[in-house]
Amino acid sequence: MSDEYRFEEEEFTTQFNGQTVLRIIKQGLHHWPLMLFFLVSIATVSALDSYFTYLSKRIMDEGIIAGNADVLTRIILQYGALMLLQAVMVFGFITCAGMLSERVQYDLRKTMFGRLQELSLSYFDRTPVGWLMSRVTSDTQRVGDLVSWGFLDVTWGFTNITTALVFMFFISWRMALIVLVMIPVLIVVATIFKKKILVEYRKVRKLNSKITGSYNENITGVRVVKSLRREEENLREFGELSGDMYKAGYRAAWLSALFLPTVLLITSLGVGSVIVYGGYQFQLGGMTIGGIQAFISYIFFMMWPVQEMARVYAEMQQSIASGERIFSLIDAVPEIQNQPGAGDPGSIRGDIVFDNVDFYYEAEKPVLTNFNLTIKQGETIALVGPTGAGKSTLVNLICRFYEPKNGRILIAGHNYRDLTLHAIHSRIGMVLQTPHLFSGTVMENLRYGRLEATEDEVIAAAQMAGADTFISKLEKGYHTQVGEGGVLLSVGQKQLISLARAVLAEPDIFIMDEATSSVDTLTEALIQQGMDRLMEGRTSFVIAHRLSTIKRADRILVIENGGVSEMGTHAELIRKRGHYYDLYTKQFRDEMEQAYAAQKVETELALAA
Amino acid sequence: MDNLDYDLKQIVTQRRLVGLWRILAGYRWLYLLAIVSIGLSALMRSTIYYALGYYVDNVLSSDGSILRQSLLVGTAVVGLALLQGALTFVSGRSAAKTAEGITRRLRNYLYDHIQRLSFTYHDNMQTGELLQRSTSDVDALRRLFAEQLNGIGNITLLFLVNFVALLMLNVRLALYSVVVIPFIIGVSLYFFKKVGEVYETYQEQEATLSNRLQENLSGVRVVKAFARQSYEIDMFEVDNQEKYRRGKRLIFMHASFWPVTDIMCGIQMLAGFFLGARMAINGIITPGEYLTYAGLVVLIIWPIRNLGRLITQMSTGLVSFDRVRDIIREDREPLDAGTYIPEDGLRGAVQFKNLHFAYDKETPVLHDISFDVEPGQVIALLGSTGSGKTSLVNLLPRFYDYTGGSLTLDGVELREYPRIWLRRQIGIVQQEPFLFSRSIRENITYGVGRTVSDAEVETAARAAAIHDVILSFPNGYETLVGERGVTLSGGQKQRVTIARTLLKNPRILIMDDATSSVDTETEASIRAALQGLMATRTTFVIAHRIQSVMDADLILVLDNGRIIQRGTHTKLLDQPGTYQQIYNLQARIEAELEKEIASVGSGSNGNGNGQHNGRFQEKITTTIATN
C-alpha cells in the first residue's frame, strides 16, 4: 500500500476484501456469547414479526369470519404473550449488540495503542498524528458498529424475508411463488440505486471537505483577502464550489427519494397480483380472507429490509475500509526492535563512537556518509546550525530512535544493536526545545522521570534543577495542574520541569535542545545552572541556541544541509572564519540587542517604581 | 439559480420563527408542496386500505365471477401506490431542493459576509469557532429542513389523515385506538432528551480519550526517551475502560426505551385488534372494515415514537440557527462607501494631523499623530513591540477607522475614499506571511484582478529574490503550497508575498517588518530590488533595526502610541534621544563583537563582518569619529 493511499481519508475500497471481513468477524468472535445471543435474539424478533402477521390472519379467519369470540380471545392472549417475549428479545439484542460494539472498539483501541507504543520514531515522522487519531477514534467506531449493528441489519433483513416466505408458502404455495418472482427484481433495483446513490454521496463528502477548506482559508487569510481586495473573485470561486455541492447534494437526495417509490411500485404490483389471483383462489376455496390479508402484509413488510439494503451496504463498505486501515496499523512492524540476544549491561557510561556511519531518511538524499566521530565519556558536545539542517538527526541516532544504514555506533564499547532498547532509552535524559508535558500535576510530570521516586526524591531533583523555587510559588505547589500540554506554564518553566524530570532519571547520557524563544533572565540563569549540574560527569549533547552554552561546550559540531560542515572548539572555529563564524556573529548581535533591550526595560521599570 | 441574491440579513429578527420563515424566501411554495405532498401520500395510503376493505366486503363476498372486479381493485391498488409513490417522491424532491437551495444561498452569503466583516470582528473571533459555525451549524440547519421539519410534518400528517380515516370508519374504535399516544409522545420526548445528555458525557469521554492519545503521540519522543511505554498503556487503559463504561450506560438506556415503548404500542394495538374483532363478530363493523382498521391503526401508533427524536434533534438545529444568525447579525465593512475617486490616480501625499486611534474606547493606541509625507517619500517607523507602528499603517487602507483628528490622502480626507478603491492603491507586505493552498503562481497573482503573463510573474519573483527557489521545485510555478505541496520556509513565504505585492504595483507600499524572517544576504538583495520600486511611490517601512531605516526620508520613532522623535538619520543621530540610543547600542554591540572575536582569533585579525554590514560599519566608524 502506498503512502498516498494510506493518508487518503474517507476513501473506501470498491469491493469487499474477504480477508479483512474475516478479521473483523474474528474481532467479534472474541466475544462470541454476545454475538451469538444478539444474532439469536434479532432472528427471534424478526421471526416473531412474521408470526404476528400470521396471527392477524387467524384473528380474521378463525375469529371474525368464524364468529368465534373465544378463539379470538385466545389468539389475542397468545399474541400479547409473544409480544412480551419479543420486547425481552429487543432488550436482549440492543444490549448485546451495543455491548459487543463497545467491547470490540475497546479491544481495538487497546491493541492499537499498544502497537503505537512499540513503533519506531520513523513511523511517527512519516505518519501524521491526525491520521493515527482517526484510526483510533472514527475507524474503530465504524468497525465496532459493523460487527454489531451491521450484522444485525443483515440478519434482520435475511430472517425477515425468509420467515415471511416460509409463512407464505405455508398459507398458499401458489401465491407464494408470485412473491418469490418479485424478490430478485427488488434486489436488482436496490443494487442499481445503491450504486448511483453511493457515487453521489461520495461526491458530496469530497465537496464538503473542500468547502470546509475554503472557509478555513477565507477566515485565516481574511487580512490578506481584504488588503488584496479579492472578495468578489473569492465569492465567485466559492459560488462554483457551493453550486457543485448544491447539485451533488440535491441529486443524492432526490435519487434517495426516488428509491422508496420505486420499491413501493414493485411491491404494489405484487399486492395487485395477490388481489386478483387471491380472489380467484378464494372462490375456489383455496384461500381465506385472512390469508389474503396476510399476504398483503407480508409483501409490504418485505419492503423495509430491501429499502435498508442501500444504506447498510454503504456503511459496510466504509467499515471494511476502516478495518483495512486499522489492521494496517496493527500489522505495522517496528523498524527498530530488540535483536535476539540483546542484553542490558546495567550502565552505558563510556565513549560513544560513530564508526563509518551512513545515514539517510530517503535513499537519494544521504545525510551522513562514512561519518566517524568519537565522543569521550563526560564530554559536552554543542550542535549548532540553522533550523531543519539536521541537528536532531545525530541525536536521534544516538538515542537509537533511528539506526545507521551502514556502519555502527558503539556505546561504552558495545555495538548498540546488541543492547536492548530499554537499556539505552532508560538511561538517556532528554530535554526538548518545546518541552512536552502531560496533563496532570507538576509532581506527576516530574515523576515521569522515575516512576518509583518518592516525593522527597522528586523535590530534591527539582531543587537540583533549579525548578523548586518557582514550583513552590505556585498556588498548589507540586500539586498544581499544568494543563493540557503544560499550557498553564511558561516555556522556561516547562524547561525547568523537564530538566528536573531528567535529573530524576539519573541518566548516563544527557540530551538538551535549548529553547529558542526568549526566556526571562532569571529563569534562563536557573536553566543554565540546572544544565551545568546535569552535564557534570555525563556525556551531553546540546542543540545550542545560546552563545554561552555553545562557548562552554568541549566541542562544537556545525550542522548544515544534513551534514557536519565544521567541527572543533569555539576558538578553532572562529579562527576558521567559516559557517560557524557567520552564525556566531549574527547570533552575537541578536543576543546583545535583546540583552540591552531587556536592560532598558528593567531600568525603566526601576525608574517608574 | 433562483433567489441567490436574497439578502439574508433579514433572517436576523427578534423571533426565531420569523427568521426561519424568511430564510425560506423563494422556496416557501416548494416547501409547502413538500409538506402537502406528504399529507396527500398518507391519504393515498389510507385509501389503499379502504380499497382492500371494499374488496373483502363487496368483491369476495359476491357470487359469480369476481375476476373483473378483482382486476379493478388490483389496478386501483397499484394506481394508488403509484400515486402515493409519486407524491412521496415529489415531497422528497421538493424538500431536498428547498434544503439544498437555502443551504447553498446561506453558504455563499456567509462566505461573503465573513470576508467583509471588519478587522475588529476577526481580531476578536476565533477561527475554529467561525469555521464550525459556517460548516457544521449550517449543515445542522440543512438537516432541519431536509429531515426534521418535514419528518415532524410527515408523522403529524400521517397521524391526522389516518385518524380521520379511522373516525370515518368508527368513532368509538378510533378514539379507543389513540389512548396511549400522548403517553408515548411524553415518554419519547423525555427519553431522547435524557439520551442527549448521556450521549454528551459519552462524547466528553471520547474527547478525553482523544486528548490522551494526542498527548501520547505528540510526546512520542518523551515517552520513548524515558522508556515509559507500559506506563502510558496503563494510563490509556483507564480512559479506555471509562469510555466502555459510559458506552454501556448509553446502550442500557436504548435497550430500555425501545422494548418499553414496544410494549406500550403493542398493547394499544392489540387492544384495538381485540375491540375491532369483537365489533366485527358482533356485526357492528364488517370484516372488510376490520381489515382497513387493522392496516390503519399500525400507521398511527408506531411512527409516533420517532416524534421525540425529531423534536430533540430539531431543538439542536434551532440552536445552530441562532449561532449562524450571530455571525450574520454583525455589520459588514462597507467596501464602496465613499464618493471621492481622483480622476488622474493617486499621487501619494499623506498627511496625519492630530490623529487619535483606539481599538476600544478605554485603551487608546495612537495619540496626537501628525506628520506630512510627500509623494514618493520613504517613511520609516521605528519602535518597540506594541508602540503602535502596525496600528498606524493599518489606518491607511481603512482596515480600521481613526477615532480623532484627520488623515488626508492627496489633500482629501481618507473617509471620502471608498475602501475598495483605496486598497487597490495600497500594497502591504505583512509581518506574518500568509499563503493560500494553491500553486505558487496563483499565490503571486492572487488579487491582481487581471490576467497576468508569465513574464510579468517571473519579473516580480525575480525582484523578490524567489524566482530561483521556485524553479528548484519539480513543478516550478505550478507547485502547490501547503499541506498538499511544498512547505516553504518563513523567508521563502515572505518573498512570495513580496512578489505578490510587487505585481500588484501599488501607489503606496507598506512593508510591515517584511524582511524580519529573511536572512541578511537575501534581505540585501530584496532591498536592492525594492529601491527602484520605492523611488516612485510613497513607502512606509516598519522595522526595528537601524540598517533598515537609515535611508528613509523621514524616520518616526514611536513609543506608546506617540511620535517621540522625527527626522532623517543624520538629524536624529545628532539629537539625544531614543534613536541615538538605539544607534549607539548597535554600534556598541558591533564593537564588542570585534573585541570578542579578536580575543579568540589571535591568528588573524578580522575585518570580517561579512560584506552586508560593510556600509554600516563604515558609518559607525565615522559616527564614532565625529562624536
Side-chain angles (χ1 to χ4, degrees):
Chain A
M1 225 185 299
S2 73
D3 277 7
E4 222 170 290
Y5 170 80
R6 285 181 43 214
F7 299 138
E8 190 70 40
E9 289 296 328
E10 302 295 335
E11 204 51 63
F12 38 90
T13 43
T14 39
Q15 51 204 176
F16 283 153
N17 178 336
Q19 272 208 313
T20 312
V21 178
L22 274 182
R23 273 183 86 171
I24 291 176
I25 294 176
K26 253 198 206 153
Q27 285 293 331
L29 285 180
H30 289 162
H31 311 284
W32 63 268
L34 283 176
M35 205 171 191
L36 184 72
F37 194 73
F38 95 70
L39 289 178
V40 168
S41 33
I42 188 66
T44 316
V45 166
S46 175
L48 278 175
D49 272 334
S50 297
Y51 186 63
F52 288 158
T53 305
Y54 183 71
L55 283 182
S56 294
K57 169 200 177 291
R58 288 184 56 201
I59 292 175
M60 179 61 92
D61 289 344
E62 294 167 36
I64 297 173
I65 305 293
N68 191 332
D70 292 342
V71 173
L72 173 72
T73 314
R74 271 214 306 280
I75 298 172
I76 292 282
L77 284 177
Q78 192 195 353
Y79 204 143
L82 286 174
M83 209 161 225
L84 285 179
L85 173 69
Q86 196 192 34
V88 172
M89 287 294 171
V90 168
F91 179 83
F93 84 70
I94 296 180
T95 312
C96 292
M99 295 260 284
L100 182 69
S101 167
E102 291 295 326
R103 192 73 218 185
V104 166
Q105 291 180 43
Y106 166 84
D107 290 348
L108 285 173
R109 284 195 298 259
K110 190 173 172 161
T111 315
M112 275 192 274
F113 192 82
R115 171 55 42 144
L116 283 171
Q117 302 312 302
E118 290 169 36
L119 287 167
S120 311
L121 207 54
S122 54
Y123 185 84
F124 296 96
D125 288 342
R126 277 202 309 273
T127 321
V129 169
W131 190 87
L132 295 171
M133 296 279 295
S134 21
R135 298 299 72 76
V136 182
T137 53
S138 50
D139 278 343
T140 37
Q141 172 98 46
R142 288 212 192 103
V143 170
D145 285 349
L146 172 68
V147 180
S148 50
W149 307 114
F151 288 176
L152 188 137
D153 279 331
V154 173
T155 317
W156 175 71
F158 183 76
T159 328
N160 194 320
I161 293 180
T162 41
T163 50
L165 275 175
V166 168
F167 279 105
M168 282 189 266
F169 271 99
F170 181 68
I171 297 169
S172 157
W173 66 269
R174 285 195 187 84
M175 270 170 61
L177 283 178
I178 300 177
V179 179
L180 203 57
V181 173
M182 211 179 76
I183 290 174
V185 181
L186 274 178
I187 289 176
V188 168
V189 169
T191 315
I192 294 171
F193 269 97
K194 172 206 78 197
K195 275 195 186 144
K196 292 206 181 239
I197 293 174
L198 264 187
V199 170
E200 293 304 317
Y201 273 120
R202 213 181 290 186
K203 258 192 230 159
V204 168
R205 261 213 309 278
K206 273 200 180 143
L207 281 168
N208 204 21
S209 62
K210 271 195 192 165
I211 282 186
T212 308
S214 186
Y215 265 114
N216 189 16
E217 256 192 5
N218 197 36
I219 297 170
T220 49
V222 70
R223 286 164 185 82
V224 181
V225 170
K226 278 175 178 297
S227 55
L228 294 174
R229 37 152 205 105
R230 252 293 276 222
E231 291 91 349
E232 284 90 5
E233 179 65 12
N234 274 355
L235 181 61
R236 194 192 55 71
E237 276 183 17
F238 182 79
E240 278 173 22
L241 203 57
S242 71
D244 288 347
M245 180 70 172
Y246 167 79
K247 275 180 218 135
Y250 176 47
R251 201 177 139 78
W254 78 251
L255 268 174
S256 308
L258 190 59
F259 184 48
L260 172 86
T262 316
V263 173
L264 186 69
L265 184 64
I266 298 170
T267 47
S268 75
L269 282 171
V271 172
S273 335
V274 163
I275 286 172
V276 177
Y277 189 69
Y280 169 70
Q281 285 284 319
F282 177 78
Q283 280 209 317
L284 295 181
M287 194 70 204
T288 60
I289 292 179
I292 294 175
Q293 183 200 7
F295 260 86
I296 293 168
S297 295
Y298 281 129
I299 293 172
F300 278 138
F301 204 67
M302 276 164 40
M303 260 172 61
W304 302 118
V306 173
Q307 237 203 314
E308 293 288 284
M309 238 176 78
R311 181 183 61 81
V312 174
Y313 184 81
E315 282 173 9
M316 277 185 139
Q317 268 194 326
Q318 263 188 308
S319 309
I320 290 166
S322 291
E324 258 171 38
R325 290 192 292 253
I326 286 178
F327 295 132
S328 86
L329 169 59
I330 292 179
D331 296 342
V333 181
E335 272 166 49
I336 299 169
Q337 297 187 46
N338 287 332
Q339 303 291 324
D344 186 345
S347 159
I348 52 168
R349 275 177 79 90
D351 297 354
I352 298 170
V353 179
F354 282 70
D355 180 15
N356 272 316
V357 168
D358 289 348
F359 183 76
Y360 51 82
Y361 293 100
E362 294 155 68
E364 318 88 71
K365 291 186 198 155
V367 176
L368 296 174
T369 320
N370 266 329
F371 182 67
N372 287 295
L373 175 69
T374 305
I375 298 137
K376 290 256 171 281
Q377 157 63 31
E379 218 181 343
T380 298
I381 304 290
L383 304 167
V384 297
T387 338
K391 284 170 292 185
S392 41
T393 304
L394 267 185
V395 168
N396 284 340
L397 280 171
I398 293 162
C399 294
R400 208 178 155 198
F401 289 156
Y402 285 87
E403 287 178 349
K405 303 288 175 188
N406 284 308
R408 29 176 220 159
I409 294 175
L410 303 168
I411 297 185
H414 307 275
N415 180 345
Y416 77 177
R417 284 187 211 232
D418 297 335
L419 307 178
T420 61
L421 285 168
H422 191 263
I424 301 170
H425 291 164
S426 62
R427 296 194 178 85
I428 290 177
M430 202 180 220
V431 177
L432 294 174
Q433 186 182 47
T434 39
H436 185 89
L437 298 190
F438 297 89
S439 10
T441 64
V442 173
M443 178 61 82
E444 282 165 352
N445 269 290
L446 289 171
R447 203 170 262 158
Y448 209 84
R450 183 148 50 89
L451 295 178
E452 66 282 0
T454 65
E455 200 146 314
D456 288 341
E457 285 174 312
V458 172
I459 293 171
Q463 279 164 345
M464 188 174 162
D468 180 64
T469 331
F470 97 82
I471 298 175
S472 13
K473 278 189 200 137
L474 294 174
E475 203 183 324
K476 288 183 182 162
Y478 282 83
H479 298 285
T480 309
Q481 293 285 335
V482 301
E484 196 184 317
V487 283
L488 302 179
L489 302 175
S490 72
V491 178
Q493 290 172 331
K494 283 197 271 186
Q495 277 217 325
L496 282 173
I497 289 184
S498 57
L499 262 174
R501 181 165 71 182
V503 169
L504 194 62
E506 290 172 1
D508 293 334
I509 297 171
F510 173 62
I511 289 162
M512 165 106 187
D513 191 351
E514 272 189 299
T516 40
S517 49
S518 46
V519 170
D520 66 89
T521 339
L522 182 69
T523 316
E524 163 116 37
L526 285 172
I527 293 176
Q528 282 287 0
Q529 251 173 44
M531 275 170 68
D532 285 348
R533 288 187 190 147
L534 242 170
M535 292 194 288
E536 216 171 81
R538 289 192 173 97
T539 313
S540 311
F541 296 85
V542 186
I543 297 180
H545 298 291
R546 289 178 208 292
L547 297 179
S548 51
T549 319
I550 299 175
K551 277 161 74 179
R552 259 184 312 192
D554 297 314
R555 254 192 296 173
I556 298 160
L557 265 62
V558 182
I559 318 266
E560 258 174 331
N561 299 322
V564 177
S565 64
E566 286 173 25
M567 178 160 59
T569 63
H570 173 68
E572 283 166 10
L573 292 179
I574 285 287
R575 261 180 246 128
K576 207 171 166 189
R577 295 277 140 119
H579 297 288
Y580 178 74
Y581 177 86
D582 286 344
L583 278 168
Y584 182 79
T585 48
K586 183 174 187 304
Q587 179 76 18
F588 189 88
R589 287 191 193 101
D590 288 349
E591 254 182 54
M592 293 301 274
E593 237 169 72
Q594 273 167 23
Y596 282 121
Q599 213 175 43
K600 189 177 161 245
V601 172
E602 270 164 38
T603 24
E604 271 172 17
L605 286 175
L607 286 175
Chain B
M1 282 223 39
D2 11 347
N3 279 298
L4 268 182
D5 41 341
Y6 177 81
D7 185 12
L8 286 173
K9 187 87 186 176
Q10 296 183 45
I11 67 169
V12 180
T13 51
Q14 283 288 312
R15 289 164 63 196
R16 203 146 60 176
L17 267 179
V18 177
L20 280 179
W21 174 250
R22 291 204 176 144
I23 206 174
L24 269 172
Y27 291 95
R28 288 173 194 149
W29 288 109
L30 197 65
Y31 205 56
L32 188 67
L33 177 68
I35 297 197
V36 170
S37 313
I38 292 182
L40 287 176
S41 99
L43 192 63
M44 295 306 131
R45 179 93 199 217
S46 309
T47 317
I48 290 180
Y49 284 105
Y50 264 90
L52 292 175
Y54 169 85
Y55 172 71
V56 167
D57 285 344
N58 301 326
V59 181
L60 290 184
S61 52
S62 67
D63 301 325
S65 169
I66 58 164
L67 184 66
R68 219 175 62 86
Q69 292 244 23
S70 308
L71 264 175
L72 208 69
V73 175
T75 320
V77 167
V78 174
L80 284 169
L82 196 65
L83 266 177
Q84 186 201 339
L87 285 164
T88 315
F89 174 67
V90 167
S91 164
R93 199 182 145 118
S94 316
K97 189 162 186 164
T98 307
E100 295 293 335
I102 61 180
T103 311
R104 175 196 194 179
R105 190 165 64 190
L106 185 62
R107 280 197 186 110
N108 286 352
Y109 186 85
L110 268 181
Y111 186 90
D112 201 31
H113 195 68
I114 286 170
Q115 63 181 1
R116 285 167 196 268
L117 285 173
S118 68
F119 266 47
T120 317
Y121 179 82
H122 284 285
D123 291 342
N124 296 322
M125 194 71 178
Q126 282 183 336
T127 306
E129 180 69 27
L130 210 49
L131 188 63
Q132 201 195 8
R133 289 187 187 201
S134 36
T135 54
S136 17
D137 281 329
V138 168
D139 199 54
L141 201 58
R142 181 188 65 78
R143 284 200 304 273
L144 183 71
F145 286 102
E147 296 159 16
Q148 289 141 18
L149 282 179
N150 54 339
I152 291 172
N154 184 13
I155 293 179
T156 317
L157 286 173
L158 196 69
F159 179 81
L160 286 178
V161 167
N162 285 307
F163 187 57
V164 170
L166 280 185
L167 282 173
M168 281 162 60
L169 208 63
N170 185 296
V171 176
R172 197 158 72 96
L173 197 56
L175 289 177
Y176 274 125
S177 305
V178 293
V179 176
V180 84
I181 301 286
F183 297 101
I184 291 179
I185 294 178
V187 169
S188 76
L189 269 176
Y190 175 78
F191 168 76
F192 283 106
K193 202 169 156 271
K194 268 272 169 259
V195 152
E197 289 164 17
V198 175
Y199 185 69
E200 221 154 83
T201 71
Y202 180 72
Q203 286 298 91
E204 274 165 25
Q205 185 58 24
E206 162 95 31
T208 312
L209 195 71
S210 298
N211 281 344
R212 167 79 58 197
L213 180 69
Q214 163 109 44
E215 274 198 334
N216 176 274
L217 293 177
S218 50
V220 63
R221 278 178 171 75
V222 178
V223 176
K224 286 189 182 303
F226 287 100
R228 286 286 170 267
Q229 284 86 346
S230 53
Y231 172 74
E232 285 293 310
I233 289 175
D234 291 344
M235 299 291 283
F236 184 78
E237 175 67 15
V238 174
D239 287 333
N240 199 6
Q241 282 274 6
E242 178 62 21
K243 171 133 195 252
Y244 175 60
R245 208 182 57 77
R246 292 194 188 178
K248 276 203 300 202
R249 208 169 120 211
L250 198 59
I251 288 153
F252 278 123
M253 292 191 70
H254 276 284
S256 321
F257 172 74
W258 295 104
V260 165
T261 50
D262 267 357
I263 292 175
M264 287 170 80
C265 295
I267 289 175
Q268 171 73 74
M269 187 183 76
L270 275 186
F273 283 179
F274 185 65
L275 207 67
R278 284 291 291 267
M279 286 166 98
I281 290 172
N282 297 332
I284 301 172
I285 58 173
T286 62
E289 282 173 335
Y290 171 79
L291 190 139
T292 309
Y293 170 77
L296 294 180
V297 77
V298 171
L299 294 181
I300 275 197
I301 297 173
W302 299 94
I304 286 290
R305 292 194 295 180
N306 279 319
L307 210 54
R309 182 171 58 85
L310 286 169
I311 290 174
T312 322
Q313 283 176 352
M314 193 182 76
S315 59
T316 61
L318 290 177
V319 171
S320 291
F321 182 56
D322 288 346
R323 285 161 54 84
V324 170
R325 286 202 299 176
D326 281 345
I327 301 179
I328 296 180
R329 184 171 290 125
E330 297 293 328
D331 285 326
R332 292 179 175 194
E333 181 184 57
L335 282 180
D336 36 19
T339 48
Y340 183 74
I341 297 177
E343 272 167 33
D344 42 357
L346 194 69
R347 288 184 305 118
V350 182
Q351 189 182 39
F352 282 72
K353 207 169 166 193
N354 306 111
L355 179 135
H356 290 265
F357 172 64
Y359 290 106
D360 56 80
K361 288 191 182 82
E362 291 92 66
T363 45
V365 179
L366 294 173
H367 308 266
D368 203 17
I369 302 286
S370 300
F371 64 92
D372 286 353
V373 185
E374 301 287 317
Q377 277 192 329
V378 176
I379 312 301
L381 301 168
L382 199 73
S384 54
T385 325
S387 57
K389 295 170 303 202
T390 304
S391 301
L392 194 151
V393 293
N394 271 344
L395 296 178
L396 287 168
R398 291 188 67 189
F399 288 153
Y400 301 93
D401 279 329
Y402 43 98
T403 41
S406 130
L407 168 50
T408 61
L409 201 57
D410 289 352
V412 179
E413 195 63 35
L414 200 66
R415 286 199 185 90
E416 304 291 318
Y417 294 93
R419 285 183 176 81
I420 192 154
W421 187 85
L422 264 182
R423 289 176 191 174
R424 197 170 295 147
Q425 316 303 320
I426 301 174
I428 310 170
V429 181
Q430 265 146 357
Q431 204 170 358
E432 304 266 322
F434 185 91
L435 297 184
F436 297 86
S437 32
R438 301 157 181 256
S439 71
I440 294 179
R441 189 185 196 279
E442 281 175 292
N443 264 295
I444 294 178
T445 58
Y446 193 89
V448 175
R450 60 191 167 91
T451 41
V452 190
S453 72
D454 287 349
E456 276 182 277
V457 177
E458 280 173 30
T459 312
R462 275 206 191 87
I466 188 72
H467 178 70
D468 293 334
V469 178
I470 297 173
L471 287 191
S472 75
F473 298 132
N475 293 326
Y477 278 86
E478 298 308 317
T479 309
L480 288 177
V481 178
E483 269 179 34
R484 290 170 163 274
V486 294
T487 320
L488 299 178
S489 74
Q492 290 169 337
K493 276 192 207 163
Q494 191 64 273
R495 281 179 276 162
V496 173
T497 62
I498 291 174
R500 176 160 80 191
T501 312
L502 294 184
L503 194 61
K504 187 182 172 182
N505 194 19
R507 297 301 311 152
I508 296 178
L509 188 64
I510 298 172
M511 312 279 282
D512 188 352
D513 216 355
T515 48
S516 61
S517 49
V518 173
D519 63 78
T520 20
E521 251 164 85
T522 324
E523 185 184 346
S525 59
I526 293 177
R527 201 176 306 143
L530 289 178
Q531 288 299 333
L533 191 82
M534 280 157 49
T536 51
R537 48 209 97 205
T538 311
T539 308
F540 290 81
V541 177
I542 293 181
H544 50 243
R545 302 195 75 161
I546 298 281
Q547 287 108 304
S548 319
V549 302
M550 50 204 276
D551 295 324
D553 298 304
L554 176 65
I555 300 171
L556 302 172
V557 183
L558 267 78
D559 190 38
N560 276 326
R562 290 174 201 280
I563 299 178
I564 52 167
Q565 270 188 301
R566 65 179 76 211
T568 58
H569 176 71
T570 34
K571 194 183 143 208
L572 285 175
L573 268 190
D574 292 339
Q575 280 178 14
T578 311
Y579 191 83
Q580 204 186 49
Q581 275 172 17
I582 298 175
Y583 183 83
N584 287 341
L585 185 71
Q586 286 184 10
R588 202 156 83 211
I589 292 172
E590 292 304 319
E592 277 179 46
L593 182 60
E594 275 298 296
K595 214 167 71 191
E596 167 84 23
I597 286 169
S599 74
V600 174
S602 51
S604 65
N605 81 329
N607 162 38
N609 258 325
Q611 71 274 47
H612 45 266
N613 278 312
R615 212 159 59 85
F616 186 58
Q617 189 67 33
E618 198 179 296
K619 293 224 174 184
I620 290 173
T621 336
T622 43
T623 319
I624 292 171
T626 46
N627 282 1

